[in-house]
């Protein structure tokens, strides 16, 4: 899609609203969030094309999944992130005529999103039917520092009159209005959507209370309107049988050519229903405190937060302005969407839309966490703490599946498995190893032993226990992991998916090595931890035996590694005769048609080449990449970034650039035609990986950073910063040279193109 009413320039995304073309897509682009809650970029007064959505991270309800034919152990309940009451709503009217962007006479209507502050600034000139003209400006922010708060500043400047303007500002209940039953990537509606069961006003504060039907969660939504020049104000409510809204209608006095301001403060807070009632007074007090600061205070606090954030996280690209803006836009959405409190995570669509029902997937560990580990390790830690918080559910799940240890859910919010289609859900048991992989990287980058001892070890041990029990020793082969699905969802329930086997092998070695290092360095801790988790030497030996004898399927005749035991013996998909409109295949072919062919949805074996590069020789990478790339559709947005990185390593410059460009522009240019349902968080993070792991060629092997930079000729220079073991390293890559600057921290050794170099602090 070419959203030609968007003008993208460096830090600013400008949207010309004179036409409402691609309006619902732009709502996703202009979504704002802070990890606790987020809201789509809809207009304060709404419009008929909108897909309204405000979401609170992990505020969800459940409903029983009704199977036509159920079987033992299927996921029992859906979990769906709910649409919460919309507190943005502000209607403006003059002499009874209400501003309506589709009907009113409007000029110069545009808005800008500033990636340096996360603030949206919108302006327009409105002429009423009776000729009264007013300049309207709104600024909106969701505070990064105060997680419950959104602030909207509305200013009105009458140009040719003095008199009265009416503002109706309140809390509105919206319904999901973009449900496509045929697209599994889009959310369906729960039978009971969230309702407001109580709403009232306490002096200048309006509060609406909602509760879920089954998940025992309650939410308060509250607003305070602060306005200059009030003539009178009153509360208007509609009841539950209609739309269940609550507004404050305020008449204000305006003077020609003078600006009159309204600041609307909006507050969201949720907790378990039983706890919430006792917390309300305290929360209201907290909200009132926040409202004592004016809008400017929050604007400044955003500037401060983002200044610091960009200091660590910016990527500078010299040579292509579009790509420069796109990478910043992607990084911006990652920091906006990520849960930062250890109890929540980052959903596949962030907080920008209802796609994938607000679920957390392996997207977090495999795509998003690397970005945070190397730029904001504290946030990476919080994401891993979330996994720890659901470990007991993962243990229950393993038990239910008749295995020892813990099996993490494929998709979830509360920790229970929520995937109704197990062949592409629960069967992806690689999720355990994906999480453990990022724990290993996190530990190596931060050396946070405390985390390992208090949380990481237990997760590592329990998920390893699951794998030890799940894998089967087959004579003549070794340990096999059969009947699983790898990352490629176009092959299901296969034997020995190489990605899975390699990742499990890697994890078990990590566990054994970690135990060995404890034994060598802290005998007491070693003894304590083994006894706490009842680990016997026999069990450690078993883990060792498995990783040393893990089966990997090589096809000697073809000179290739099998994606699994059967893949290379299937018929190749007829790509030549598949019309373009039949992609993505998952929307047009029954799984049985897809599964019996050599056709791949997304990076699978190729992903192992990135994650565990030491497993492959250069020749193996090349031979397998050349083969597998040709049978890959990239129907998942998680695919091209990984292919781009490996293509770069193999010297396929054009191909690598194309994959990178498609990744970095996925959302801003709506390349998958579904941005209206939310951004693609994994591919946004994948675009960061394309820069750092692709053009920068960075790999972390055995705790050491290796770089093999290779810049394509589209760019003159790329610069980024990496945090590593308490250091900050700035990397500047040009086509013929790379500079590494130790910005802070002690001297450190890295490897550049195979050569060991020491980075020394100069000043
Ligand atoms: C991909 C999965 C991914 C999910 C959520 C699917 O299309 O195949 O790998 O986890 O989307 O992003």
């Amino acid at each position: 899609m070419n959203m030609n009413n968007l003008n993208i320039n460096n830090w600013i995304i400008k949207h010309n609203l004179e036409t409402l073309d691609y309006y619902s897509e732009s709502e996703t682009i202009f979504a704002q969030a802070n990890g606790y809650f987020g809201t789509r970029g809809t207009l304060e007064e709404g419009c008929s094309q909108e897909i309204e959505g405000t979401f609170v991270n992990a505020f969800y309800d459940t409903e029983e999944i009704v199977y036509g034919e159920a079987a033992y152990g299927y996921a029992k309940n859906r979990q769906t992130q709910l649409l919460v009451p919309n507190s943005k709503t502000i209607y403006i009217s003059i002499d009874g005529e209400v501003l309506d962007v589709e009907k009113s006479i409007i000029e110069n209507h545009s808005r800008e999103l500033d990636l340096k502050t996360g603030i949206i600034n919108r302006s327009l000139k409105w002429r009423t039917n009776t000729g009264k003209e007013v300049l309207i400006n709104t600024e909106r922010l969701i505070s990064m520092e105060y997680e419950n708060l959104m602030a909207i500043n509305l200013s009105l400047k009458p140009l040719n009159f003095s008199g009265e303007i009416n503002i109706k500002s309140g809390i509105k209940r919206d319904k999901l209005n973009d449900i496509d039953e045929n697209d599994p990537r889009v959310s369906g509606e729960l039978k009971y959507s969230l309702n407001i069961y109580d709403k009232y006003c306490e002096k200048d504060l309006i509060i609406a209370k909602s509760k879920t039907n089954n998940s025992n969660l309650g939410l308060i939504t509250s607003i305070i309107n602060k306005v200059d020049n009030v003539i009178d104000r009153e509360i208007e409510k509609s009841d539950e049988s209609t739309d269940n809204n609550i507004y404050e209608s305020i008449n204000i006095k305006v003077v020609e050519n003078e600006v009159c301001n309204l600041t609307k403060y909006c507050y969201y807070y949720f907790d378990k229903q039983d706890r919430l009632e006792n917390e309300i007074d305290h929360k209201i007090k907290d909200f009132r405190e926040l409202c004592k600061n004016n809008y400017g205070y929050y604007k400044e606090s955003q500037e401060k937060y983002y200044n610091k954030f960009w200091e660590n996280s910016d990527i500078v690209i010299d040579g292509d302005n579009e790509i420069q803006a796109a990478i910043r836009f992607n990084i911006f959405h990652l920091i906006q969407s990520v849960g930062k409190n250890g109890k929540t995570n980052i959903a596949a669509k962030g907080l920008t839309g209802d796609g994938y029902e607000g679920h957390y997937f392996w997207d977090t560990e495999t795509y998003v966490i690397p970005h945070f580990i190397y730029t904001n390790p504290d946030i990476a830690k919080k994401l891993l703490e979330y996994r720890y918080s659901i470990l007991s559910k993962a243990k229950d799940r393993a038990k239910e599946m008749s295995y020892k240890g813990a099996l993490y859910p494929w998709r979830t919010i509360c920790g229970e498995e929520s995937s109704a289609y197990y062949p592409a859900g629960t069967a992806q048991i690689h999720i355990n190893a994906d999480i453990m992989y990022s724990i290993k990287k996190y530990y190596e980058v931060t050396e946070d032993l405390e985390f390992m001892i208090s949380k990481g070890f237990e997760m590592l041990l329990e998920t390893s226990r699951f794998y030890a029990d799940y894998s089967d020793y087959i004579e003549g082969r070794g340990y096999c992991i059969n009947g699983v699905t790898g990352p490629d969802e176009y092959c299901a329930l296969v034997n020995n998916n190489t990605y899975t086997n390699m990742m499990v092998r890697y994890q078990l070695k990590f566990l054994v090595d970690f135990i060995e290092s404890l034994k060598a360095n802290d005998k007491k801790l070693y003894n304590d931890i083994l006894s706490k988790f009842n680990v016997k030497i026999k069990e450690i030996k078993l883990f060792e035996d498995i990783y040393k004898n893990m089966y990997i399927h090589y096809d000697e005749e073809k000179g290739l590694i099998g994606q699994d035991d059967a893949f290379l013996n299937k018929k190749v998909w007829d790509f030549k005769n598949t019309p373009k409109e039949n992609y993505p295949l998952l929307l047009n072919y029954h799984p049985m048609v897809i599964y019996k062919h050599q056709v791949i949805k997304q990076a699978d074996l190729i992903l192992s080449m990135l994650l565990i590069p030491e497993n492959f020789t250069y020749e193996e990478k090349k031979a397998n990449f050349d083969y597998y790339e040709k049978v890959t559709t990239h129907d998942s947005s998680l695919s091209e970034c990984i292919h781009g990185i490996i293509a770069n390593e193999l010297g396929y410059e054009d191909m690598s650039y194309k994959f990178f460009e498609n990744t970095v522009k996925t959302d801003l240019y709506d390349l998958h035609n579904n941005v209206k349902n939310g951004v693609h968080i994994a591919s946004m993070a994948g675009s960061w990986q394309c820069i750092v792991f692709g053009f920068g060629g960075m790999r972390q092997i055995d705790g050491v950073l290796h770089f093999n930079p290779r810049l394509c000729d589209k760019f003159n220079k790329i610069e980024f910063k990496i945090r590593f073991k308490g250091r900050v390293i700035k990397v500047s890559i040009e086509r013929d040279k790379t500079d590494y600057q130790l910005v802070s921290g002690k001297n450190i050794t890295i490897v550049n193109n195979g050569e060991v170099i020491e980075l020394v602090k100069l000043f």
Side-chain angles (χ1 to χ4, degrees):
M1 182 186 79
N2 180 11
M3 284 198 251
N4 45 17
N5 46 359
L6 280 193
N7 181 321
I8 301 152
N9 185 6
N10 224 343
W11 294 100
I12 305 280
I13 318 255
K14 187 165 179 175
H15 185 199
N16 177 348
L17 279 156
E18 306 255 303
T19 80
L20 291 180
D21 294 348
Y22 305 117
Y23 175 71
S24 29
E25 285 79 7
S26 80
E27 290 172 357
T28 301
I29 305 295
F30 281 75
Q32 292 167 298
N34 62 5
Y36 186 81
F37 76 105
T39 195
R40 286 172 61 78
T42 49
L43 308 178
E44 285 74 14
E45 66 279 13
C47 93
S48 68
Q49 300 181 31
E50 75 183 7
I51 306 174
E52 175 51 44
T54 299
F55 307 96
V56 177
N57 199 351
F59 186 75
Y60 71 100
D61 207 355
T62 65
E63 204 171 82
E64 194 185 340
I65 302 174
V66 182
Y67 293 97
E69 279 174 63
Y72 173 81
Y74 276 17
K76 292 186 190 58
N77 295 311
R78 278 177 66 186
Q79 295 155 39
T80 301
Q81 181 167 277
L82 298 168
L83 209 63
V84 301
N86 170 9
S87 60
K88 287 171 287 189
T89 312
I90 302 176
Y91 300 110
I92 304 170
S93 51
I94 300 177
D95 303 333
E97 184 184 333
V98 186
L99 171 69
D100 177 334
V101 287
E102 285 154 303
K103 295 190 189 126
S104 303
I105 310 165
I106 286 175
E107 272 174 38
N108 300 334
H109 191 188
S110 68
R111 60 175 164 177
E112 287 182 1
L113 167 66
D114 184 350
L115 303 177
K116 273 192 166 164
T117 59
I119 296 176
I120 296 175
N121 189 319
R122 171 184 168 217
S123 56
L124 62 120
K125 184 168 137 190
W126 173 32
R127 185 150 61 86
T128 66
N129 291 331
T130 56
K132 289 186 174 164
E133 289 182 351
V134 57
L135 281 185
I136 301 177
N137 181 275
T138 55
E139 273 195 24
R140 187 157 86 200
L141 63 85
I142 293 194
S143 173
M144 295 304 279
E145 203 181 335
Y146 304 91
E147 65 177 12
N148 310 95
L149 187 77
M150 169 163 66
I152 304 172
N153 195 62
L154 164 72
S155 46
L156 302 165
K157 184 176 176 187
L159 296 177
N160 58 358
F161 70 100
S162 297
E164 260 183 49
I165 295 185
N166 176 270
I167 292 169
K168 236 168 92 166
S169 165
I171 300 174
K172 184 165 165 265
R173 191 182 152 250
D174 292 288
K175 291 218 170 84
L176 279 182
N177 60 354
D178 188 56
I179 295 167
D180 179 354
E181 295 293 347
N182 297 319
D183 189 339
R185 299 164 303 179
V186 178
S187 166
E189 198 174 9
L190 289 177
K191 236 184 298 150
Y192 310 100
S193 54
L194 185 71
N195 210 344
I196 295 173
Y197 69 90
D198 192 11
K199 51 185 190 297
Y200 53 87
C201 131
E202 246 184 48
K203 293 197 217 127
D204 55 341
L205 178 143
I206 294 177
I207 183 160
K209 297 183 189 168
S210 321
K211 60 181 178 194
T212 59
N213 286 286
N214 302 313
S215 62
N216 184 29
L217 297 177
L219 171 82
I220 49 177
T221 310
S222 187
I223 61 160
I224 290 186
N225 295 304
K226 281 201 179 165
V227 210
D228 306 336
N229 309 343
V230 176
I231 300 171
D232 54 44
R233 55 204 301 171
E234 64 173 355
I235 295 294
E236 287 179 10
K237 287 188 200 178
S238 57
D239 67 27
E240 271 175 58
S241 60
T242 57
D243 43 14
N244 207 359
N245 302 327
I246 177 162
Y247 296 107
E248 187 176 22
S249 172
I250 312 169
N251 287 316
I252 53 173
K253 190 165 152 23
V254 291
V255 178
E256 187 170 337
N257 279 322
E258 281 182 20
V259 175
C260 174
N261 284 302
L262 170 133
T263 302
K264 179 172 186 176
Y265 300 85
C266 313
Y267 187 89
Y268 290 93
Y269 177 78
F270 83 101
D271 203 344
K272 298 250 181 265
Q273 274 167 31
D274 30 356
R275 281 207 293 257
L276 190 66
E277 271 306 320
N278 297 328
E279 288 171 317
I280 286 183
D281 289 349
H282 171 67
K283 290 293 153 191
I284 286 182
K285 213 168 137 218
D286 174 44
F287 182 34
R288 285 195 186 283
E289 263 322 291
L290 294 175
C291 295
K292 286 185 181 156
N293 300 314
N294 62 18
Y295 179 77
Y297 173 87
Y298 291 109
K299 198 171 166 171
E300 221 172 89
S301 125
Q302 288 294 100
E303 277 161 10
K304 265 197 217 141
Y305 181 94
Y306 274 107
N307 256 339
K308 195 158 161 231
F309 168 73
W310 287 116
E311 180 64 33
N312 291 330
S313 310
D314 191 21
I315 289 184
V316 180
I317 296 186
D318 177 358
D320 190 318
N321 291 340
E322 279 191 4
I323 294 215
Q324 172 68 86
I327 188 76
R328 285 188 172 141
F329 173 76
N330 292 352
I331 294 171
F332 170 76
H333 267 282
L334 294 177
I335 189 68
Q336 285 210 116
S337 305
V338 67
K340 302 171 186 72
N341 56 15
K343 290 184 275 184
T344 57
N345 206 275
I346 182 165
K349 300 279 176 189
L351 293 159
T352 64
D354 60 3
Y356 286 122
E357 302 190 62
H359 290 169
Y360 313 137
F361 292 79
W362 72 313
D363 305 29
T364 300
E365 281 76 14
T366 308
Y367 290 80
V368 178
I369 281 199
H371 161 75
F372 285 115
I373 286 182
Y374 293 112
T375 54
N376 279 289
D378 292 351
I379 294 181
K381 182 176 184 173
K382 291 290 167 200
L383 292 170
L384 295 173
E385 282 177 3
Y386 161 81
R387 290 297 186 185
Y388 185 71
S389 78
I390 60 168
L391 179 63
S392 66
K393 297 223 167 105
K395 283 189 187 171
D396 294 345
R397 180 65 173 154
K399 203 163 173 195
E400 184 178 29
M401 303 277 296
S402 326
Y403 293 105
K404 292 186 184 138
L407 173 62
Y408 276 97
W410 176 244
R411 52 191 291 174
T412 192
I413 297 174
C414 68
E416 278 159 28
E417 179 61 88
S418 175
S419 172
Y421 184 60
Y422 84 91
T426 302
Q428 296 200 49
I429 64 167
H430 63 85
I431 178 87
N432 273 0
D434 304 328
I435 300 170
M436 297 316 121
Y437 181 90
S438 63
I439 289 182
K440 180 173 190 297
K441 295 289 155 174
Y442 168 77
Y443 176 50
E444 286 170 357
V445 171
T446 59
E447 300 173 317
D448 184 353
L449 182 63
E450 199 281 320
F451 172 80
M452 282 306 293
I453 300 301
S454 63
K455 302 187 175 74
F457 180 79
E458 192 180 348
M459 291 191 266
L460 182 58
L461 175 70
E462 295 300 349
T463 53
S464 298
R465 282 177 165 158
F466 172 84
Y467 283 137
D469 198 18
Y470 191 91
S471 52
D472 302 311
Y473 186 80
I474 309 279
E475 235 11 88
R477 290 196 135 187
Y479 288 94
C480 294
I481 303 182
N482 291 336
V484 300
T485 301
D488 167 27
E489 295 184 350
Y490 284 174
C491 292
L493 303 179
V494 300
N495 294 340
N496 294 311
N497 167 255
T498 297
Y499 171 88
T500 307
N501 290 20
M502 285 186 173
M503 291 292 283
V504 172
R505 181 167 75 176
Y506 191 78
Q507 137 161 13
L508 295 179
K509 181 165 185 325
F510 172 41
L511 173 61
V512 174
D513 289 351
F514 184 77
I515 294 175
E516 284 304 314
S517 75
L518 285 185
K519 191 173 168 189
N521 298 319
D522 191 336
K523 208 57 197 279
K524 179 173 179 320
L525 189 57
Y526 164 82
N527 285 327
D528 288 354
I529 215 163
L530 293 202
S531 91
K532 180 169 175 200
F533 296 109
N534 195 20
V535 186
K536 301 276 177 308
I537 301 299
K538 206 170 132 209
E539 191 176 24
I540 304 173
K541 288 273 167 258
L542 174 66
F543 294 143
E544 192 172 344
D545 194 42
I546 298 176
Y547 86 67
K548 288 194 167 150
N549 295 294
M550 178 66 75
Y551 176 72
I552 302 291
H553 186 77
Y554 290 96
D555 187 322
E556 304 292 347
E557 212 176 284
K558 297 192 171 74
L560 294 169
I561 303 171
Q563 180 172 286
D564 54 63
D565 281 0
F567 186 85
L568 293 170
N569 294 318
K570 293 178 186 172
K571 189 177 161 197
V572 175
W573 183 269
D574 185 0
F575 291 98
K576 224 170 80 206
N577 293 310
T578 307
K580 229 172 144 213
E581 60 277 12
N582 283 10
Y583 293 93
L585 302 181
L586 68 111
L587 296 186
N588 296 292
Y589 299 91
H590 190 278
M592 281 180 70
V593 180
I594 298 176
Y595 294 169
K596 75 192 268 286
H597 286 97
Q598 281 194 44
V599 61
I600 296 177
K601 182 181 179 192
Q602 65 200 96
D604 188 304
L605 184 66
I606 310 298
L607 180 58
S608 339
M609 296 179 189
L610 169 64
L611 299 185
I612 323 179
E614 59 271 35
N615 275 359
F616 302 85
T617 63
Y618 178 84
E619 289 68 32
E620 277 174 338
K621 279 187 197 158
K622 185 163 164 19
N624 287 285
F625 181 89
D626 289 350
Y627 186 84
Y628 283 100
E629 202 289 311
K630 291 198 180 66
V631 289
T632 304
T633 57
H634 305 293
D635 279 352
S636 158
S637 65
L638 279 67
S639 192
E640 286 184 292
C641 49
I642 308 299
H643 280 249
I645 295 167
I646 303 299
N648 193 53
E649 186 179 340
L650 296 172
Y652 298 140
E653 187 170 316
D654 292 345
M655 187 196 272
S656 147
Y657 177 77
K658 195 69 219 145
F659 282 137
F660 167 61
E661 189 183 17
N662 289 347
T663 305
V664 78
K665 291 184 172 176
T666 292
D667 290 301
L668 207 43
Y669 296 80
D670 195 15
L671 300 184
H672 290 245
N673 289 321
N674 59 2
V675 82
K676 67 182 168 117
N677 299 119
V679 296
H680 301 75
I681 285 291
S683 110
M684 290 181 139
S687 64
W688 179 92
Q689 294 198 17
C690 283
I691 301 269
V692 176
F693 301 155
F695 300 120
M698 188 178 101
R699 304 285 184 275
Q700 185 189 319
I701 304 174
D702 293 332
V704 177
L705 283 186
H706 292 240
F707 292 86
N708 284 295
R710 195 192 299 253
L711 195 61
C712 64
D713 66 3
K714 300 273 193 296
F715 309 130
N716 306 320
K717 191 175 178 183
I718 288 186
E719 274 181 10
F720 56 84
K721 280 191 195 138
I722 291 297
R723 290 178 159 236
F724 188 70
K725 301 194 186 206
R727 280 80 166 181
V728 176
I729 303 169
K730 182 171 170 189
V731 184
S732 313
I733 309 168
E734 292 173 53
R735 272 189 81 78
D736 52 358
K737 67 166 181 143
T738 303
D739 270 359
Y740 301 93
Q741 189 195 334
L742 187 60
V743 178
S744 65
K746 293 192 203 130
N747 297 358
I748 188 167
T749 299
I750 61 161
V751 181
N752 177 51
N753 289 323
E755 189 196 335
V756 178
I757 51 176
E758 193 180 12
L759 302 186
V760 183
K761 184 98 181 58
L762 289 180
F763 307 104

